[in-house]
Structures are given as C-alpha cells and as structure tokens.
C-alpha cells in the first residue's frame, strides 16, 4: 500500500478535459509498452545465440541504462511513492523544468529496461512496471499541465495516482480492476471521477490501437485464441474440424458430368472434390460448373473438362471465421479441407451451411446453460 499524505480532488470541472487528454496519452503509452515488449522478444528470438547468452545480454543492457538512471532498476515503488506525494524534486534535486524532462526520460528508459528484461528471458513481470510507467507519465503530464494552467489543475501527484491505474488499464484492459486496485493501494477515494474517466478513455484508446492486451498477446503468438466475448467470437473460437463433413463423396477426373447430377440428386450435395486414383486433389466440380457446361452443349463431357482446377482450401485447425471469410471473399459455397502436411490430401468438406449450423449449435448451448443457471439460482 502506498502512503498518500496529500489530498487530491478535482480542482475545476474544466480539469476533466485534461484527464480526458491524459487518458488518450495513457492508452498510447500502454500500447507502446505492449508493442515494444514483443518487438524486443522477436529480436532476441531471432538471435542465433545459445539460450543462456540472451539473458546475460539483456541484463548487461539494463545494467548499462542503470549506470546513468538507477531509477529503472527494480519495481521502483520508492519513486512511485514520491510521485504520488509530489516529491520527485527531492529525488532528482533539480529545477521543475529539468525534473519534468528527467521524469520523461526515466519513463522511456523504464519501458525499454522492462522490455529488455522480460524479452531476453530474465525474471520479471509487467504489473509493477505498468504502475511505475503510469506514475511517471502522470507526474510528467501533471507537471506540464499545472505549469501552464495552475488555476484549473491539481498538483502532479493527482495525475500520478490516476496514471498508475490508466496505464495498467491500457495494458491489461482490466479497467474496473485497475480502479479498485488504486483505491486499495492508495486508500484515496477523493479523486474517483478523474480516475474512472481517464481509465475508461485509456482502455478505449488501447482497444482501438491493439487487438491484444499485454497478457493475451503472448497467447496469441502461440496460436491460442483468447475469447473476450463468446457471443461475438463464436466463429473465432471454433475450428474447421468441428464442422467439416468427413463422410464426403469424391469423384474422379474421368467421371461423366451426368454422373455428377445423379450424385447431387442422391447425396443432396452441390459440389464434390475431384480426386485422382492416387488420392490427390485435382479440383472441385459444382452444379454451377455442370449447368454452364450443359448450356454450352457439353453434356457428354467429363469432370476434368469443366472442373475448377485452382482450388481454394482450408485446414482443420483454422477457425471457422477464417474459413467463412475465404468463402465469402471468393463467393464460394463450399471448400475442401486438406492436410497441412499434404495439401493434396482431402480430409473433408465444409460449406457455409455447416458453419452456420455450428454457430447456431453453440448459441443453443449457451442458452441452455443460462437457463440451467437461472433455475439453480431460483
């Protein structure tokens, strides 16, 4: 818990405009933290060095920064406490303008040092650094705002308090958690309106600039989809293998077109994969292809004469959203599902109707679960 000895309140209604602007800046800084962290991780992953060398390199770089700015070391809660109480000038012992410049530099260097530490494989987290970045950002913004508009703005400690929650909200999208956390850590409830205002704005800006949070980005890079809202992301959370038809009927290239019509009447399918004797995908034949051939007087033609040879395919582990987008963009109703290791091997077929059936099925399951929960709570 941080000890906040000064009382901060909203000085003027006009100050909400400053907190709105600060929320925007906090959102941008939060996204910059996310992007920098994973860009550095990519850089370290791309180095052809033994695994034990990379942490040593990261530690050396952080140590070089700390030689000039020791404040970047550790979680930095001592510096945060000074920022919350408006006492940063006692740490740096310079004039107000110089302190403002140093705080901005420390903010940037802390972001870099944390990214270097985590991305190089050293032990470290992002929660504490998020609070530090927020406090320093708030302090810097508060110093500038109070210097320019002293009659309508609070001392920079107020912005440091709000900044801790705002930057954490931007990096994690846990806005309510950030607000409650700051109440618990500072025991200060006098600045609730600016706090909520800036956190919500920071969250919104972060959502616009980055699809992932600092935590879910790691999962996304490993191919794990984190579903924020099941109703809005059913197709993103379901895989092609869950909806594809594995009991499909294939035709050979030398199959007569009239046979395709018979298969449609018997199977009820509007399209079939064309597979050679050795089991390789050669194309796709649809009723539209057959109809066009008949209109040209090619009733006695074979499948290989009119089939679509440039076949659009999907993989079993791709999401239904990806499959649907491919079909919609190409104006195709059905596509073969192939083995990623052997793109010419057909594992199944999937069409728009199957995708929508899966979508409706998940919705039905949700409704059933909600009804059961409602009955249990009665």
């Amino acid at each position: 818990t941080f000890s906040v000895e000064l009382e901060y309140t909203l000085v003027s209604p006009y100050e909400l405009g400053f907190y709105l602007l600060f929320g925007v800046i906090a959102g941008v800084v939060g996204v910059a933290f996310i992007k920098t962290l994973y860009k550095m991780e990519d850089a370290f992953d791309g180095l052809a060095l033994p695994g034990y060398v990379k942490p040593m390199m990261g530690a050396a770089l952080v140590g070089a920064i700390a030689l000039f700015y020791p404040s970047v070391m550790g979680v930095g809660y001592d510096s945060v406490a000074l920022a919350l109480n408006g006492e940063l000038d006692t740490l740096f012992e310079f004039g107000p303008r110089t302190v403002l410049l140093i705080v901005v530099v420390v903010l940037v260097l802390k972001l870099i040092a944390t990214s270097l530490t985590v991305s190089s494989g050293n032990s470290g987290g992002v929660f504490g650094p998020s609070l530090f970045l927020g406090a320093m950002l708030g302090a810097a913004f508060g110093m500038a705002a109070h210097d320019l508009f002293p009659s309508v703005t609070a001392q920079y400690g107020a912005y440091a308090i709000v900044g801790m929650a705002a930057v954490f909200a931007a990096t994690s999208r846990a806005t309510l958690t950030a607000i409650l956390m700051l109440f618990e850590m500072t025991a200060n409830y006098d600045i609730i309106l600016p706090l909520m205002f800036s956190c919500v704005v920071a969250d919104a800006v972060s959502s616009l600039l980055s699809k992932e949070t600092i935590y879910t980005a790691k999962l996304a890079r490993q191919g794990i989809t984190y579903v924020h809202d099941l109703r809005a992301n059913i197709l993103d959370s379901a895989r092609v293998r869950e909806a594809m038809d594995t009991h499909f009927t294939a035709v050979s290239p030398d199959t007569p077109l009239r046979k395709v019509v018979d298969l449609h009447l018997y199977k009820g399918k509007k399209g079939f994969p064309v597979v050679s004797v050795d089991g390789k995908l050669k194309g796709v034949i649809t009723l539209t292809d057959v109809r066009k051939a008949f209109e040209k007087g090619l009733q006695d033609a074979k499948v290989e004469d009119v089939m679509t040879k440039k076949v659009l395919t999907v993989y079993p582990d791709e999401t239904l959203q990806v499959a649907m987008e491919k079909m919609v963009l190409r104006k195709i109703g059905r596509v073969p599902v192939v083995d990623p290791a052997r793109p010419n091997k057909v594992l199944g077929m999937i069409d728009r109707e199957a995708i929508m059936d899966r979508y409706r099925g998940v919705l039905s399951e949700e409704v059933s679960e909600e009804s059961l929960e409602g009955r249990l709570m009665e």
Side-chain angles (χ1 to χ4, degrees):
T1 301
F2 294 103
S3 176
V4 181
E5 299 177 0
L6 301 179
E7 294 184 1
Y8 294 113
T9 59
L10 187 65
V11 174
S12 166
Y14 296 109
E15 194 175 13
L16 285 176
F18 291 95
Y19 282 108
L20 186 151
L21 175 60
F22 178 66
V24 173
I25 297 174
V28 173
V29 170
V31 173
F33 186 21
I34 298 172
K35 300 293 185 182
T36 303
L37 176 63
Y38 290 106
K39 286 290 185 182
M40 285 193 179
E41 185 174 281
D42 289 337
F44 275 101
D45 289 342
L47 295 176
L49 296 173
Y52 61 86
V53 175
K54 296 178 183 179
M56 295 169 59
M57 181 182 297
L61 291 173
V62 173
I65 296 173
L67 287 175
F68 300 94
Y69 291 90
S71 299
V72 303
M73 297 294 287
V75 292
Y77 285 166
D78 292 341
S79 299
V80 171
L82 292 175
L84 299 184
N85 288 285
E87 299 174 349
L88 282 176
D89 54 332
T90 63
L91 176 65
F92 298 114
E93 298 181 355
F94 290 103
R97 298 290 176 86
T98 305
V99 171
L100 170 59
L101 178 60
I102 293 176
V103 169
V104 173
V105 172
V106 170
L107 165 68
V108 175
L109 293 179
K110 180 66 174 181
L111 189 152
I112 295 173
T114 301
S115 300
L116 283 171
T117 300
V118 177
S119 60
S120 64
N122 283 293
S123 178
V126 294
F127 173 72
S130 295
L131 300 183
F132 183 94
L133 295 176
M136 294 301 112
L137 178 66
F141 182 90
M143 289 177 190
H146 190 69
D147 185 49
L148 295 173
F149 306 95
S151 62
V152 295
T153 57
Q155 295 291 332
Y156 68 81
Y159 291 89
I161 294 175
V162 171
M164 291 174 67
V167 171
F168 178 71
T171 58
S172 67
R173 311 275 167 77
T175 303
L176 184 58
T177 300
I179 294 171
L180 295 176
M181 173 194 70
L182 257 293
F183 286 157
E184 181 180 352
M185 295 179 71
T186 63
N188 190 319
Y189 300 89
D190 297 327
I191 201 167
I192 180 172
L193 184 58
L195 178 63
M196 296 175 66
F197 199 53
S198 292
C199 285
V200 170
V201 172
D203 188 330
V205 171
S206 177
S207 298
L208 290 174
L209 298 179
S210 175
K211 181 180 178 181
E212 303 294 341
T213 72
I214 200 166
Y215 299 108
T216 62
K218 187 71 172 180
L219 299 176
R221 291 160 67 88
Q222 296 175 353
I224 302 173
T225 302
Y226 177 81
V227 181
H228 298 271
D229 183 351
L230 182 58
R231 290 187 183 275
N233 294 278
I234 290 175
L235 297 184
D236 271 331
S237 60
R239 303 292 172 179
V240 168
R241 65 170 67 256
E242 299 173 27
M244 70 182 190
D245 178 16
T246 56
H247 302 291
F248 62 94
T249 300
V251 298
S252 62
D254 59 355
T255 301
L257 294 186
R258 296 183 185 276
K259 179 66 174 178
V260 176
V261 177
D262 293 338
L263 284 173
H264 163 65
L265 295 175
Y266 180 69
K267 298 286 187 179
K269 304 295 183 181
K270 297 181 180 179
F272 305 92
V274 182
V275 179
S276 62
V277 178
D278 56 357
K280 294 183 178 180
L281 177 65
K282 295 298 183 180
V284 171
I285 185 74
T286 66
L287 285 183
T288 301
D289 297 327
V290 176
R291 177 178 57 79
K292 290 180 178 179
F294 282 5
E295 290 174 353
K296 295 177 181 179
L298 302 176
Q299 288 86 348
D300 297 327
K302 296 181 179 180
V303 166
E304 61 186 351
D305 299 325
V306 299
M307 69 181 183
T308 300
K309 297 180 180 178
K310 293 183 178 180
V311 185
L312 176 69
T313 61
V314 296
Y315 300 132
D317 288 330
E318 286 187 304
T319 66
L320 293 183
Q321 180 66 33
V322 170
M324 179 64 86
E325 289 175 356
K326 286 183 177 181
M327 286 188 272
V328 170
L329 290 175
R330 292 280 294 273
K331 298 181 180 180
I332 297 173
R334 64 207 50 80
V335 294
V337 183
V338 298
D339 187 342
R342 292 179 292 173
N344 289 326
K345 180 177 176 57
V346 183
L347 302 177
M349 293 289 291
I350 189 168
D351 55 29
R352 296 185 192 179
E353 289 77 11
I355 294 176
M356 296 313 299
D357 284 343
R358 178 59 182 163
Y359 182 88
R360 286 189 288 267
V362 175
L363 283 181
S364 298
E365 292 172 6
E366 278 193 292
V367 171
S368 298
E369 290 177 0
E370 289 174 359
S371 299
L372 177 59
E373 290 177 359
R375 289 195 297 270
L376 292 173
M377 294 178 67
E378 291 179 353

